[in-house]
Amino acid sequence: MWHSHATVSPVVEAWTTYRTGHAGRWTAEELTTAKGRGTVSVVIPARNEEATIGAIVSTIRRDLVERVPLVDEIVVVDSRSSDATALIARQAGARVVGQDRMTRGLPRMEGKGDALWAGLAASTGDVVAFVDGDLHEFSSHFVTGLLGPLLTDQSVEYVKGFYHRPLAGPAAVETDGGGRVTELAARPLINLFFPELAGFVQPLAGEYAGRRRTLESIPFVSGYGVEIGMLIDLVDLVGLDALAQVDLGERKHRHQGTEALGRMAAQIMVTAWSRMHRRGLATEAMPPSTLLTQFRRGGQEALPNLERQIAVTDAGVTERPPLASLKRAVAA
């Protein structure tokens, strides 16, 4: 039994009540009318997602481009795939752009955040929705749910999705077993140092949407810190009331192993540190170290007496500057 004598902040409780919606609240037809003369882009970052990317693109195109003209373009960012991701996405009806092509002339960066930035640069919509490329059993309500608050309420600048995330184990499926990095790393960080964001159910969710003018005004962290960095930067830029979240139901996708999740958590912590420094919560701009030491059982390089090999990863992150700042520099 879960007992607590503490209560949530009145600000967080009020925001959660006022700014939380459900994807079933809006139909594609209603949103197409609400869109008016505005334009909508869907951006999908994908690296070696040949197994899922075709169904995602085909579903969006069938339901939200051909059946109802809600989405004006589908952009898939090929993030250095070594499989047929780009070909399959193109055949399904997406415009495919290469991450390196969109960032040509800029420093090379790694990770999801750089692909998202490239997708924002490649797309043209007034409103941009981001969807991960590894989703199974994808439904177009993921897109309509994210677009709903933005197209029907001009005071909303950004919408975050949340969902149930089942985790398939060897013997059974844990209904809400996914989102381990959220519960073990991101949520404690947010509640301790950015408590105004505590009402977000899944701050690391890969499905979100925003107005171009707002998305182009924030930096994009190159790696897995992109989601938490974006959320903190947005609340600082536009305020909590301009942010919303929508229940998208259930999300099924490929899950990563514990070691990979540890590296992800480290990048999230490094990203949060930089924002803590900006707020005056940390004296140094960078943590004492960005190196993450992990241990793998056995292996040819196992150390004597340890019976494990040591793996060291640099969890440091880099950032693409706000896209609007580059546009202004080019124009000047």
Side-chain angles (χ1 to χ4, degrees):
M1 186 70 70
W2 183 11
H3 294 290
S4 175
H5 297 293
T7 58
V8 69
S9 154
V11 172
V12 170
E13 183 176 6
W15 176 86
T16 304
T17 302
Y18 177 56
R19 286 302 196 193
T20 299
H22 191 282
R25 179 178 172 183
W26 304 278
T27 67
E29 291 80 5
E30 291 169 343
L31 293 179
T32 300
T33 300
K35 182 180 75 165
R37 295 184 178 181
T39 54
V40 172
S41 300
V42 175
V43 171
I44 309 170
R47 182 172 187 174
N48 296 332
E49 304 294 358
E50 63 180 8
T52 51
I53 193 65
I56 295 172
V57 172
S58 296
T59 299
I60 297 172
R61 184 165 186 83
R62 181 193 67 225
D63 294 350
L64 305 180
V65 176
E66 297 171 352
R67 186 177 298 166
V68 178
L70 175 61
V71 172
D72 297 281
E73 64 174 353
I74 306 169
V75 178
V76 169
V77 182
D78 181 21
S79 184
R80 303 165 187 153
S81 297
S82 58
D83 65 3
T85 292
L87 175 63
I88 293 173
R90 193 174 290 112
Q91 290 175 339
R95 179 163 66 91
V96 179
V97 299
Q99 177 179 340
D100 290 331
R101 176 178 170 272
M102 292 308 304
T103 57
R104 185 180 302 156
L106 299 172
R108 180 184 172 92
M109 294 185 183
E110 304 291 336
K112 178 185 177 182
D114 191 45
L116 292 169
W117 189 92
L120 180 63
S123 63
T124 61
D126 301 314
V127 171
V128 183
F130 295 96
V131 176
D132 276 349
D134 65 343
L135 304 184
H136 297 276
E137 301 178 25
F138 178 81
S139 169
S140 57
H141 80 268
F142 269 51
V143 177
T144 54
L146 294 172
L147 295 177
L150 289 161
L151 298 181
T152 60
D153 187 342
Q154 291 301 309
S155 68
V156 175
E157 295 289 328
Y158 177 84
V159 178
K160 189 83 170 176
F162 69 93
Y163 20 63
H164 294 292
R165 299 179 65 182
L167 178 63
V173 174
E174 189 177 348
T175 305
D176 284 306
R180 290 164 287 173
V181 176
T182 293
E183 299 305 324
L184 297 175
R187 196 177 309 286
L189 277 171
I190 285 173
N191 279 266
L192 288 170
F193 302 109
F194 310 98
E196 70 271 34
L197 296 172
F200 280 92
V201 178
Q202 280 165 341
L204 304 184
E207 282 65 50
Y208 37 85
R211 301 192 191 280
R212 173 170 296 278
R213 66 189 181 217
T214 300
L215 294 170
E216 288 191 352
S217 298
I218 59 172
F220 278 52
V221 175
S222 61
Y224 286 111
V226 62
E227 273 88 16
I228 194 168
M230 185 180 295
L231 207 54
I232 297 168
D233 292 344
L234 283 166
V235 77
D236 287 346
L237 178 69
V238 298
L240 183 61
D241 189 55
L243 312 181
Q245 63 180 350
V246 171
D247 187 346
L248 300 178
E250 186 174 81
R251 183 188 200 266
K252 296 181 180 180
H253 67 113
R254 181 183 67 251
H255 292 278
Q256 301 195 53
T258 304
E259 187 175 306
L261 296 180
R263 294 191 293 270
M264 195 181 303
Q267 287 196 335
I268 288 165
M269 292 179 182
V270 171
T271 303
W273 179 288
S274 67
R275 274 63 186 170
M276 290 164 59
H277 176 260
R278 189 179 64 197
R279 289 190 174 192
L281 300 175
T283 57
E284 302 294 331
M286 292 293 294
S289 174
T290 60
L291 296 182
L292 174 67
T293 300
Q294 295 176 301
F295 298 89
R296 298 172 185 167
R297 177 177 295 185
Q300 294 182 348
E301 299 179 8
L303 297 178
N305 302 322
L306 191 63
E307 296 183 356
R308 292 167 175 80
Q309 57 181 332
I310 296 176
V312 179
T313 305
D314 189 350
V317 296
T318 49
E319 299 186 14
R320 291 289 183 204
L323 188 59
S325 67
L326 291 185
K327 288 183 175 181
R328 288 193 296 268
V330 171

